[in-house]
Each structure stands twice: as C-alpha cells, then as structure tokens.
Amino acid sequence: MTHVEREDAVAVVTIDRQEAMNALDVATLTELRDRLRELAGEDETRVVILTGAGEKAFVAGADIKYMSGLGVVEAKDWGALGHETGRLLETMPKPTIAAVNGFALGGGCELALACDLRYAGSGAKLGQPEVNLGIIPGWGGTQRLARACGLGVAKELIFTGRIVAADEALRIGLLNGVHDPVLDKARETAASLASKSPIALRVMKELANRALGGDHGANLAAEGERFAELFASEDAREGMTAFVEKREAIFKGL
Ligand code: CAA
C-alpha cells in the first residue's frame, strides 16, 4: 500500500508493506508509480517526500519471493516498472526528497538514488546486495550510484554487495545528511523549497539532470537560454524586487 499525505504544498508518499520490510511487490510498486504520476502533474504540490512506513525499513528492495518465479520476459517488465518509477522521481518538475528510515537495500536504495535529495536516520543501512542473489541492481543502481558516489565507490558497493551505515553513506556522498527523526528534516527542507519559485526549481532540476551527461557546451548553452527566459516570469520580477525593497519574496509560480 502507498499512502499520500498532503501538508500545504508538500506531499509525503509512504510505502507501507511492513510485513515484508516494505519490499516492493507488483501491486505496491504499481501503486507507487501511479501516485508519483499524479503528483508530478499536480501544480499545487511543490515538493514530494518519499519514505517507508515504520521504523525498520525505507524499502528492503524488490520482493525476492516474487522475483524468484520470474522468467526473462517477466523480469524485463519488472525492471521497466522500477525504471519508470525512478524516472518519475528523477524527472518530475519539482524536487523529490528521500527520507530513509532503516534499511534501503537493492531497489530501495535505487529509489532513494532517483530522488533529488537523500536524508537518513542515524540507524539507516543502505546498499545494493543484488550480487548475493546472483543478479544485478535493475532499477538504476548500476548508473545512479556512480553519479552520487563516483565510479570506484559504486563498483565496490555493487560488486561486493556491502551494506553501509548512515555515517559512511554520508561520507561517500550517498546521503545529503543524517538526522533523527529523518522525516522532520525532510519536512523542514521541503517547506523551505516550497517557499521558493517553483519555476526556478523546475528549470534548475531539468538543467542539473543534464550535468553529468551529454555535451557540456550544449548544456551550458541550454542554461543560458533558460536563464534568460526566466526573466519573463513574475517570480523573477518578484524575487529581485523583494530583494531591492528589503522584504520576503512571495513566489506564485507565475
Ligand atoms: N523481498 C521479500 N521479502 C522480504 C524482503 C525482500 N526484499 N526483505 C525482507 N523481506 C521479508 C522477509 O522475508 C521476512 O518475511 P517472513 O517473516 O515472512 O519470512 C520479513 O520481511 C522480515 O525480514 P527478516 O526476517 O529477514 O528481517 P531481518 O531484520 O532479519 O533482516 C533485512 C532484514 C536485512 C532487510 C533482510 O530481510 C534482507 O536481507 N532482505 C533482503 C534485502 C535484499 O537483498 N534486497 C535486494 C532485493 S533485489 C532487488 O531489489 C533488485 C533490484 O535491483 C530491483
């Protein structure tokens, strides 16, 4: 089951399958994908937080019992559903924040990696243990872990399946911060982001997502275009006027 709780402009999405450490089966992952699709298109939601129900786990991965019965064709669909869910977190036009409580393993670590920001509680444990099952990370882990931690660290973690505690995860760049309770920190950052211009955030996310790929010159040219275009927005006018008038800006996303 996946709950969505809206608090002002912030949506908290909670994956809730506590009897299996929030491991994702087809029903839960499909529901998560559907909820994220809705939130991606909802203008009134400016920031999305992803977390797991209970204290034990964020998500302990894809459901291994389900996967053990799959053939090649079914596994391809299963991988595609995970990829689609990760792409929604990565590309939806608003910031996404993972609040990692407990275990974030395999597909759980991969969904956290697909979010823009990652916070964890001090007891969190993260990793890609797929190698111990004779498979590979299949929801983005072979690519996004390297983007967060660098290729050498990523290869060590995916080759060995070693699980890292929160303090190490912070040191290697897998996390943005370690805080207890983690959801409070995620909410605090989300509230701060929700007060900023959603247009500027959308454009920054789109451009930042290009930073580690494609042609550097073309990416800088795109930044130049988008920078100039934003000067047509009311939010830009408001932000700069508020600075000059020494008051807080109120951004409407216009
Ligand atoms: N799939 C299915 N069930 C899972 C699960 C998973 N990924 N993780 C935990 N569970 C279930 C357990 O089977 C158990 O259920 P039963 O009591 O019915 O057997 C219940 O959750 C509680 O788990 P444990 O008794 O194992 O709890 P623990 O505290 O001893 O250990 C754990 C916790 C370290 C997270 C351990 O459960 C574990 O190692 N889980 C698997 C982690 C894993 O390998 N994840 C990667 C999955 S592959 C993947 O995600 C592929 C991909 O890239 C998409």
Side-chain angles (χ1 to χ4, degrees), residues 39-105:
L39 291 168
E42 246 179 51
D43 284 346
E44 55 277 24
T45 297
R46 292 192 182 187
V47 185
V48 173
I49 296 172
L50 180 67
T51 195
E55 297 300 313
K56 291 187 181 155
F58 173 72
V59 169
D63 189 306
I64 301 169
K65 292 169 196 167
Y66 166 70
M67 280 197 309
S68 66
L70 299 184
V72 171
V73 174
E74 298 95 336
K76 190 152 193 197
D77 290 343
W78 183 228
L81 184 59
H83 275 159
E84 191 186 352
T85 308
R87 286 294 275 169
L88 279 164
L89 290 163
E90 184 173 55
T91 66
M92 73 167 70
K94 60 196 78 181
T96 53
I97 303 175
V100 176
N101 46 315
F103 289 105
L105 301 179

Short mmCIF file of all heavy atoms in Angstrom, two decimals, residues 39-105:
data_model
loop_
_atom_site.label_atom_id
_atom_site.label_comp_id
_atom_site.label_asym_id
_atom_site.label_seq_id
_atom_site.Cartn_x
_atom_site.Cartn_y
_atom_site.Cartn_z
N LEU A 39 1.22 13.05 -8.70
CA LEU A 39 1.89 14.17 -8.02
C LEU A 39 2.74 14.97 -9.00
O LEU A 39 2.87 16.19 -8.86
CB LEU A 39 2.75 13.64 -6.87
CG LEU A 39 1.95 13.06 -5.70
CD1 LEU A 39 2.85 12.30 -4.75
CD2 LEU A 39 1.21 14.18 -4.95
N ALA A 40 3.30 14.30 -10.00
CA ALA A 40 4.13 15.00 -10.99
C ALA A 40 3.30 16.06 -11.72
O ALA A 40 3.80 17.14 -12.03
CB ALA A 40 4.71 14.00 -11.99
N GLY A 41 2.02 15.78 -11.95
CA GLY A 41 1.18 16.69 -12.72
C GLY A 41 0.38 17.67 -11.88
O GLY A 41 -0.40 18.46 -12.42
N GLU A 42 0.54 17.64 -10.57
CA GLU A 42 -0.27 18.47 -9.66
C GLU A 42 0.46 19.76 -9.33
O GLU A 42 1.42 19.75 -8.57
CB GLU A 42 -0.42 17.70 -8.33
CG GLU A 42 -1.80 17.26 -8.00
CD GLU A 42 -1.79 16.49 -6.68
OE1 GLU A 42 -1.24 16.98 -5.67
OE2 GLU A 42 -2.32 15.38 -6.69
N ASP A 43 -0.01 20.90 -9.86
CA ASP A 43 0.70 22.17 -9.63
C ASP A 43 0.73 22.57 -8.16
O ASP A 43 1.68 23.19 -7.69
CB ASP A 43 0.03 23.30 -10.42
CG ASP A 43 0.39 23.21 -11.90
OD1 ASP A 43 1.34 22.46 -12.23
OD2 ASP A 43 -0.28 23.87 -12.71
N GLU A 44 -0.34 22.21 -7.42
CA GLU A 44 -0.39 22.65 -6.01
C GLU A 44 0.62 21.91 -5.14
O GLU A 44 0.95 22.36 -4.06
CB GLU A 44 -1.81 22.55 -5.44
CG GLU A 44 -2.49 21.20 -5.54
CD GLU A 44 -3.16 20.92 -6.89
OE1 GLU A 44 -2.76 21.51 -7.91
OE2 GLU A 44 -4.06 20.07 -6.92
N THR A 45 1.11 20.77 -5.61
CA THR A 45 2.18 20.07 -4.89
C THR A 45 3.52 20.54 -5.42
O THR A 45 3.84 20.37 -6.59
CB THR A 45 2.05 18.54 -5.07
OG1 THR A 45 0.81 18.13 -4.50
CG2 THR A 45 3.18 17.79 -4.39
N ARG A 46 4.32 21.15 -4.53
CA ARG A 46 5.59 21.72 -4.99
C ARG A 46 6.81 20.87 -4.64
O ARG A 46 7.87 21.04 -5.23
CB ARG A 46 5.78 23.12 -4.39
CG ARG A 46 4.79 24.15 -4.93
CD ARG A 46 5.24 25.54 -4.51
NE ARG A 46 4.35 26.59 -4.94
CZ ARG A 46 4.63 27.88 -4.80
NH1 ARG A 46 5.77 28.25 -4.23
NH2 ARG A 46 3.78 28.79 -5.20
N VAL A 47 6.65 19.99 -3.65
CA VAL A 47 7.77 19.12 -3.24
C VAL A 47 7.20 17.76 -2.84
O VAL A 47 6.12 17.69 -2.23
CB VAL A 47 8.53 19.71 -2.02
CG1 VAL A 47 9.75 18.86 -1.68
CG2 VAL A 47 8.95 21.15 -2.26
N VAL A 48 7.92 16.68 -3.18
CA VAL A 48 7.47 15.33 -2.84
C VAL A 48 8.53 14.66 -1.96
O VAL A 48 9.72 14.66 -2.29
CB VAL A 48 7.23 14.49 -4.12
CG1 VAL A 48 6.92 13.04 -3.77
CG2 VAL A 48 6.10 15.09 -4.95
N ILE A 49 8.08 14.12 -0.82
CA ILE A 49 8.95 13.34 0.07
C ILE A 49 8.56 11.87 -0.09
O ILE A 49 7.37 11.54 -0.09
CB ILE A 49 8.76 13.77 1.54
CG1 ILE A 49 9.20 15.22 1.74
CG2 ILE A 49 9.52 12.84 2.49
CD1 ILE A 49 8.87 15.79 3.12
N LEU A 50 9.57 10.99 -0.19
CA LEU A 50 9.31 9.54 -0.25
C LEU A 50 9.89 8.90 0.99
O LEU A 50 11.06 9.12 1.33
CB LEU A 50 9.98 8.96 -1.51
CG LEU A 50 9.79 7.45 -1.72
CD1 LEU A 50 8.33 7.12 -2.01
CD2 LEU A 50 10.68 6.96 -2.87
N THR A 51 9.07 8.08 1.69
CA THR A 51 9.57 7.41 2.88
C THR A 51 8.93 6.03 3.01
O THR A 51 8.09 5.65 2.19
CB THR A 51 9.33 8.29 4.14
OG1 THR A 51 10.11 7.79 5.22
CG2 THR A 51 7.86 8.34 4.54
N GLY A 52 9.36 5.28 4.04
CA GLY A 52 8.80 3.96 4.29
C GLY A 52 8.07 3.96 5.62
O GLY A 52 8.46 4.68 6.55
N ALA A 53 7.03 3.16 5.73
CA ALA A 53 6.27 3.09 6.98
C ALA A 53 7.05 2.31 8.04
O ALA A 53 7.77 1.35 7.72
CB ALA A 53 4.92 2.41 6.72
N GLY A 54 6.89 2.72 9.29
CA GLY A 54 7.53 2.00 10.40
C GLY A 54 8.97 2.44 10.60
O GLY A 54 9.49 3.29 9.88
N GLU A 55 9.61 1.81 11.58
CA GLU A 55 10.98 2.21 11.96
C GLU A 55 12.03 1.35 11.27
O GLU A 55 13.19 1.72 11.23
CB GLU A 55 11.16 2.04 13.48
CG GLU A 55 10.25 2.92 14.33
CD GLU A 55 10.48 4.40 14.04
OE1 GLU A 55 11.65 4.83 14.01
OE2 GLU A 55 9.48 5.12 13.82
N LYS A 56 11.61 0.16 10.78
CA LYS A 56 12.64 -0.81 10.36
C LYS A 56 13.20 -0.58 8.97
O LYS A 56 14.38 -0.83 8.73
CB LYS A 56 12.04 -2.23 10.42
CG LYS A 56 11.76 -2.69 11.84
CD LYS A 56 11.34 -4.13 11.85
CE LYS A 56 11.05 -4.60 13.26
NZ LYS A 56 10.12 -5.73 13.27
N ALA A 57 12.34 -0.14 8.06
CA ALA A 57 12.82 -0.08 6.67
C ALA A 57 12.23 1.09 5.90
O ALA A 57 11.07 1.46 6.09
CB ALA A 57 12.47 -1.39 5.95
N PHE A 58 13.05 1.62 5.03
CA PHE A 58 12.58 2.52 3.96
C PHE A 58 11.96 1.57 2.93
O PHE A 58 10.75 1.46 2.85
CB PHE A 58 13.79 3.28 3.42
CG PHE A 58 13.53 4.13 2.21
CD1 PHE A 58 12.80 5.30 2.31
CD2 PHE A 58 14.05 3.77 0.97
CE1 PHE A 58 12.57 6.09 1.17
CE2 PHE A 58 13.83 4.55 -0.16
CZ PHE A 58 13.09 5.71 -0.05
N VAL A 59 12.80 0.81 2.24
CA VAL A 59 12.35 -0.27 1.35
C VAL A 59 13.48 -1.30 1.30
O VAL A 59 14.63 -0.94 0.98
CB VAL A 59 12.08 0.26 -0.09
CG1 VAL A 59 11.88 -0.90 -1.07
CG2 VAL A 59 10.86 1.19 -0.13
N ALA A 60 13.18 -2.56 1.64
CA ALA A 60 14.22 -3.61 1.64
C ALA A 60 14.43 -4.20 0.25
O ALA A 60 14.96 -5.31 0.11
CB ALA A 60 13.89 -4.69 2.65
N GLY A 61 13.98 -3.49 -0.79
CA GLY A 61 14.27 -3.93 -2.16
C GLY A 61 13.04 -4.42 -2.89
O GLY A 61 11.90 -4.29 -2.42
N ALA A 62 13.30 -4.97 -4.06
CA ALA A 62 12.24 -5.65 -4.80
C ALA A 62 11.89 -6.92 -4.03
O ALA A 62 12.73 -7.47 -3.31
CB ALA A 62 12.75 -6.00 -6.19
N ASP A 63 10.65 -7.36 -4.17
CA ASP A 63 10.20 -8.57 -3.45
C ASP A 63 10.89 -9.80 -4.05
O ASP A 63 10.62 -10.18 -5.20
CB ASP A 63 8.67 -8.69 -3.57
CG ASP A 63 8.16 -9.80 -2.66
OD1 ASP A 63 8.66 -10.95 -2.78
OD2 ASP A 63 7.28 -9.53 -1.84
N ILE A 64 11.77 -10.40 -3.25
CA ILE A 64 12.59 -11.51 -3.75
C ILE A 64 11.74 -12.76 -3.99
O ILE A 64 11.98 -13.52 -4.92
CB ILE A 64 13.75 -11.81 -2.78
CG1 ILE A 64 14.63 -10.54 -2.62
CG2 ILE A 64 14.60 -12.97 -3.27
CD1 ILE A 64 15.64 -10.63 -1.49
N LYS A 65 10.70 -12.93 -3.14
CA LYS A 65 9.84 -14.12 -3.32
C LYS A 65 9.14 -14.03 -4.68
O LYS A 65 9.06 -15.03 -5.42
CB LYS A 65 8.81 -14.22 -2.18
CG LYS A 65 9.47 -14.54 -0.84
CD LYS A 65 8.54 -14.38 0.34
CE LYS A 65 9.35 -14.32 1.64
NZ LYS A 65 8.59 -13.86 2.79
N TYR A 66 8.66 -12.84 -5.02
CA TYR A 66 8.02 -12.64 -6.33
C TYR A 66 9.05 -12.84 -7.45
O TYR A 66 8.80 -13.57 -8.42
CB TYR A 66 7.41 -11.24 -6.40
CG TYR A 66 7.05 -10.82 -7.80
CD1 TYR A 66 5.99 -11.42 -8.47
CD2 TYR A 66 7.80 -9.85 -8.48
CE1 TYR A 66 5.67 -11.06 -9.78
CE2 TYR A 66 7.48 -9.48 -9.78
CZ TYR A 66 6.42 -10.09 -10.43
OH TYR A 66 6.11 -9.74 -11.71
N MET A 67 10.22 -12.25 -7.29
CA MET A 67 11.22 -12.30 -8.37
C MET A 67 11.73 -13.70 -8.64
O MET A 67 12.14 -14.02 -9.76
CB MET A 67 12.42 -11.41 -8.03
CG MET A 67 12.17 -9.95 -8.29
SD MET A 67 13.72 -9.03 -8.34
CE MET A 67 14.49 -9.55 -6.85
N SER A 68 11.71 -14.54 -7.59
CA SER A 68 12.29 -15.88 -7.76
C SER A 68 11.51 -16.71 -8.78
O SER A 68 12.04 -17.69 -9.31
CB SER A 68 12.34 -16.60 -6.41
OG SER A 68 11.03 -16.83 -5.95
N GLY A 69 10.28 -16.30 -9.10
CA GLY A 69 9.48 -17.05 -10.08
C GLY A 69 9.50 -16.46 -11.47
O GLY A 69 8.81 -16.97 -12.36
N LEU A 70 10.28 -15.41 -11.69
CA LEU A 70 10.21 -14.73 -12.99
C LEU A 70 11.10 -15.35 -14.05
O LEU A 70 12.20 -15.83 -13.75
CB LEU A 70 10.62 -13.25 -12.83
CG LEU A 70 9.80 -12.37 -11.90
CD1 LEU A 70 10.31 -10.93 -11.97
CD2 LEU A 70 8.32 -12.43 -12.25
N GLY A 71 10.65 -15.30 -15.29
CA GLY A 71 11.50 -15.62 -16.44
C GLY A 71 11.99 -14.32 -17.06
O GLY A 71 11.72 -13.22 -16.56
N VAL A 72 12.70 -14.45 -18.18
CA VAL A 72 13.35 -13.29 -18.80
C VAL A 72 12.32 -12.22 -19.21
O VAL A 72 12.51 -11.02 -18.97
CB VAL A 72 14.18 -13.75 -20.03
CG1 VAL A 72 14.69 -12.55 -20.82
CG2 VAL A 72 15.35 -14.61 -19.56
N VAL A 73 11.22 -12.65 -19.81
CA VAL A 73 10.24 -11.68 -20.31
C VAL A 73 9.59 -10.93 -19.16
O VAL A 73 9.48 -9.69 -19.18
CB VAL A 73 9.18 -12.42 -21.18
CG1 VAL A 73 8.07 -11.47 -21.59
CG2 VAL A 73 9.85 -13.04 -22.40
N GLU A 74 9.20 -11.67 -18.11
CA GLU A 74 8.56 -11.00 -16.96
C GLU A 74 9.55 -10.10 -16.24
O GLU A 74 9.19 -9.02 -15.76
CB GLU A 74 8.03 -12.04 -15.96
CG GLU A 74 6.95 -12.96 -16.49
CD GLU A 74 7.53 -14.27 -17.01
OE1 GLU A 74 8.72 -14.31 -17.37
OE2 GLU A 74 6.77 -15.26 -17.06
N ALA A 75 10.82 -10.54 -16.18
CA ALA A 75 11.83 -9.73 -15.49
C ALA A 75 12.06 -8.41 -16.23
O ALA A 75 12.33 -7.37 -15.62
CB ALA A 75 13.15 -10.50 -15.39
N LYS A 76 11.89 -8.44 -17.54
CA LYS A 76 12.06 -7.21 -18.31
C LYS A 76 10.96 -6.20 -17.94
O LYS A 76 11.23 -5.02 -17.73
CB LYS A 76 12.01 -7.52 -19.81
CG LYS A 76 12.41 -6.36 -20.64
CD LYS A 76 13.01 -6.79 -21.96
CE LYS A 76 13.68 -5.57 -22.59
NZ LYS A 76 13.95 -5.70 -23.98
N ASP A 77 9.73 -6.69 -17.81
CA ASP A 77 8.62 -5.80 -17.41
C ASP A 77 8.82 -5.28 -16.00
O ASP A 77 8.53 -4.13 -15.70
CB ASP A 77 7.28 -6.57 -17.47
CG ASP A 77 6.88 -6.87 -18.90
OD1 ASP A 77 7.44 -6.24 -19.82
OD2 ASP A 77 6.02 -7.77 -19.10
N TRP A 78 9.31 -6.16 -15.13
CA TRP A 78 9.53 -5.79 -13.72
C TRP A 78 10.61 -4.69 -13.64
O TRP A 78 10.46 -3.71 -12.92
CB TRP A 78 9.95 -7.05 -12.96
CG TRP A 78 10.17 -6.94 -11.49
CD1 TRP A 78 11.26 -7.43 -10.82
CD2 TRP A 78 9.32 -6.38 -10.49
NE1 TRP A 78 11.13 -7.19 -9.48
CE2 TRP A 78 9.96 -6.55 -9.25
CE3 TRP A 78 8.09 -5.72 -10.54
CZ2 TRP A 78 9.40 -6.09 -8.06
CZ3 TRP A 78 7.53 -5.27 -9.35
CH2 TRP A 78 8.18 -5.46 -8.14
N GLY A 79 11.68 -4.87 -14.41
CA GLY A 79 12.73 -3.85 -14.45
C GLY A 79 12.19 -2.54 -15.00
O GLY A 79 12.49 -1.46 -14.48
N ALA A 80 11.35 -2.64 -16.03
CA ALA A 80 10.81 -1.42 -16.66
C ALA A 80 9.91 -0.65 -15.69
O ALA A 80 9.94 0.59 -15.66
CB ALA A 80 10.04 -1.79 -17.93
N LEU A 81 9.15 -1.38 -14.87
CA LEU A 81 8.27 -0.70 -13.90
C LEU A 81 9.11 0.05 -12.86
O LEU A 81 8.80 1.19 -12.48
CB LEU A 81 7.36 -1.74 -13.22
CG LEU A 81 6.31 -1.23 -12.25
CD1 LEU A 81 5.35 -0.24 -12.91
CD2 LEU A 81 5.53 -2.40 -11.63
N GLY A 82 10.20 -0.58 -12.42
CA GLY A 82 11.10 0.10 -11.47
C GLY A 82 11.77 1.30 -12.11
O GLY A 82 11.88 2.37 -11.50
N HIS A 83 12.20 1.15 -13.36
CA HIS A 83 12.83 2.28 -14.06
C HIS A 83 11.85 3.44 -14.23
O HIS A 83 12.22 4.60 -14.04
CB HIS A 83 13.30 1.84 -15.45
CG HIS A 83 14.66 1.21 -15.44
ND1 HIS A 83 15.11 0.39 -16.43
CD2 HIS A 83 15.67 1.28 -14.54
CE1 HIS A 83 16.35 -0.02 -16.15
NE2 HIS A 83 16.70 0.50 -15.01
N GLU A 84 10.63 3.11 -14.58
CA GLU A 84 9.63 4.17 -14.78
C GLU A 84 9.40 4.93 -13.48
O GLU A 84 9.32 6.17 -13.47
CB GLU A 84 8.33 3.53 -15.29
CG GLU A 84 7.33 4.53 -15.78
CD GLU A 84 5.99 3.90 -16.13
OE1 GLU A 84 5.88 2.65 -16.14
OE2 GLU A 84 5.06 4.67 -16.38
N THR A 85 9.33 4.20 -12.38
CA THR A 85 9.11 4.82 -11.07
C THR A 85 10.30 5.72 -10.71
O THR A 85 10.12 6.86 -10.27
CB THR A 85 8.89 3.72 -10.01
OG1 THR A 85 7.87 2.84 -10.48
CG2 THR A 85 8.50 4.29 -8.67
N GLY A 86 11.50 5.21 -10.94
CA GLY A 86 12.70 6.01 -10.67
C GLY A 86 12.76 7.26 -11.54
O GLY A 86 13.09 8.34 -11.06
N ARG A 87 12.40 7.11 -12.82
CA ARG A 87 12.43 8.28 -13.72
C ARG A 87 11.44 9.34 -13.29
O ARG A 87 11.68 10.53 -13.45
CB ARG A 87 12.16 7.85 -15.16
CG ARG A 87 13.30 7.14 -15.81
CD ARG A 87 14.52 8.03 -16.00
NE ARG A 87 14.46 8.81 -17.22
CZ ARG A 87 15.29 9.82 -17.51
NH1 ARG A 87 16.22 10.17 -16.64
NH2 ARG A 87 15.18 10.47 -18.64
N LEU A 88 10.29 8.91 -12.76
CA LEU A 88 9.32 9.89 -12.27
C LEU A 88 9.93 10.72 -11.13
O LEU A 88 9.82 11.94 -11.11
CB LEU A 88 8.04 9.19 -11.79
CG LEU A 88 7.07 8.81 -12.89
CD1 LEU A 88 6.05 7.78 -12.38
CD2 LEU A 88 6.34 10.05 -13.43
N LEU A 89 10.60 10.04 -10.19
CA LEU A 89 11.23 10.76 -9.08
C LEU A 89 12.33 11.68 -9.60
O LEU A 89 12.49 12.81 -9.12
CB LEU A 89 11.83 9.76 -8.09
CG LEU A 89 10.81 8.95 -7.28
CD1 LEU A 89 11.47 7.72 -6.66
CD2 LEU A 89 10.17 9.82 -6.19
N GLU A 90 13.07 11.19 -10.57
CA GLU A 90 14.23 11.93 -11.08
C GLU A 90 13.84 13.11 -11.95
O GLU A 90 14.52 14.13 -11.96
CB GLU A 90 15.09 10.96 -11.88
CG GLU A 90 16.39 11.51 -12.41
CD GLU A 90 17.23 10.41 -13.04
OE1 GLU A 90 16.74 9.71 -13.95
OE2 GLU A 90 18.37 10.23 -12.62
N THR A 91 12.74 12.97 -12.71
CA THR A 91 12.44 14.00 -13.72
C THR A 91 11.17 14.78 -13.44
O THR A 91 10.89 15.71 -14.19
CB THR A 91 12.33 13.37 -15.13
OG1 THR A 91 11.19 12.51 -15.15
CG2 THR A 91 13.58 12.60 -15.51
N MET A 92 10.37 14.43 -12.43
CA MET A 92 9.14 15.21 -12.23
C MET A 92 9.55 16.67 -11.97
O MET A 92 10.61 16.93 -11.40
CB MET A 92 8.26 14.64 -11.12
CG MET A 92 8.73 14.83 -9.72
SD MET A 92 7.43 14.46 -8.52
CE MET A 92 7.25 12.70 -8.62
N PRO A 93 8.72 17.63 -12.43
CA PRO A 93 9.20 19.02 -12.43
C PRO A 93 9.12 19.70 -11.06
O PRO A 93 8.69 20.84 -10.95
CB PRO A 93 8.24 19.69 -13.44
CG PRO A 93 7.01 18.88 -13.37
CD PRO A 93 7.42 17.47 -13.07
N LYS A 94 9.57 19.01 -10.05
CA LYS A 94 9.59 19.56 -8.68
C LYS A 94 10.56 18.71 -7.87
O LYS A 94 10.80 17.53 -8.23
CB LYS A 94 8.18 19.52 -8.07
CG LYS A 94 7.57 18.15 -7.96
CD LYS A 94 6.07 18.22 -7.73
CE LYS A 94 5.33 18.54 -9.02
NZ LYS A 94 3.88 18.65 -8.91
N PRO A 95 11.11 19.24 -6.77
CA PRO A 95 12.10 18.45 -6.02
C PRO A 95 11.48 17.23 -5.35
O PRO A 95 10.35 17.28 -4.85
CB PRO A 95 12.60 19.44 -4.95
CG PRO A 95 12.24 20.80 -5.45
CD PRO A 95 10.98 20.62 -6.26
N THR A 96 12.27 16.15 -5.32
CA THR A 96 11.88 14.92 -4.60
C THR A 96 12.94 14.65 -3.53
O THR A 96 14.15 14.81 -3.79
CB THR A 96 11.75 13.73 -5.56
OG1 THR A 96 12.96 13.59 -6.31
CG2 THR A 96 10.59 13.91 -6.53
N ILE A 97 12.48 14.24 -2.35
CA ILE A 97 13.39 14.02 -1.22
C ILE A 97 13.13 12.63 -0.65
O ILE A 97 11.99 12.30 -0.30
CB ILE A 97 13.13 15.06 -0.10
CG1 ILE A 97 13.27 16.49 -0.64
CG2 ILE A 97 14.07 14.83 1.09
CD1 ILE A 97 12.92 17.58 0.38
N ALA A 98 14.19 11.82 -0.53
CA ALA A 98 14.04 10.51 0.14
C ALA A 98 14.33 10.70 1.62
O ALA A 98 15.35 11.29 1.99
CB ALA A 98 15.01 9.50 -0.45
N ALA A 99 13.43 10.22 2.48
CA ALA A 99 13.64 10.21 3.93
C ALA A 99 13.83 8.75 4.30
O ALA A 99 12.86 7.98 4.42
CB ALA A 99 12.44 10.82 4.65
N VAL A 100 15.10 8.35 4.46
CA VAL A 100 15.43 6.93 4.61
C VAL A 100 15.47 6.54 6.08
O VAL A 100 16.31 7.01 6.84
CB VAL A 100 16.80 6.62 3.95
CG1 VAL A 100 17.20 5.16 4.20
CG2 VAL A 100 16.76 6.93 2.46
N ASN A 101 14.54 5.71 6.46
CA ASN A 101 14.43 5.18 7.81
C ASN A 101 14.76 3.70 7.75
O ASN A 101 14.13 2.96 7.00
CB ASN A 101 12.99 5.40 8.31
CG ASN A 101 11.95 4.99 7.27
OD1 ASN A 101 12.09 5.32 6.08
ND2 ASN A 101 10.94 4.25 7.67
N GLY A 102 15.76 3.24 8.46
CA GLY A 102 16.08 1.81 8.46
C GLY A 102 16.74 1.35 7.17
O GLY A 102 17.56 2.07 6.59
N PHE A 103 16.35 0.18 6.68
CA PHE A 103 17.01 -0.41 5.51
C PHE A 103 16.55 0.23 4.19
O PHE A 103 15.35 0.34 3.93
CB PHE A 103 16.70 -1.91 5.42
CG PHE A 103 17.37 -2.74 6.49
CD1 PHE A 103 16.63 -3.24 7.57
CD2 PHE A 103 18.73 -3.01 6.44
CE1 PHE A 103 17.24 -4.00 8.56
CE2 PHE A 103 19.35 -3.77 7.43
CZ PHE A 103 18.61 -4.27 8.49
N ALA A 104 17.53 0.59 3.37
CA ALA A 104 17.25 0.97 1.97
C ALA A 104 18.17 0.10 1.14
O ALA A 104 19.34 0.43 0.90
CB ALA A 104 17.53 2.44 1.73
N LEU A 105 17.67 -1.05 0.75
CA LEU A 105 18.51 -2.05 0.07
C LEU A 105 17.99 -2.32 -1.33
O LEU A 105 16.78 -2.22 -1.59
CB LEU A 105 18.51 -3.36 0.87
CG LEU A 105 19.02 -3.25 2.32
CD1 LEU A 105 18.94 -4.61 3.01
CD2 LEU A 105 20.44 -2.71 2.37
#
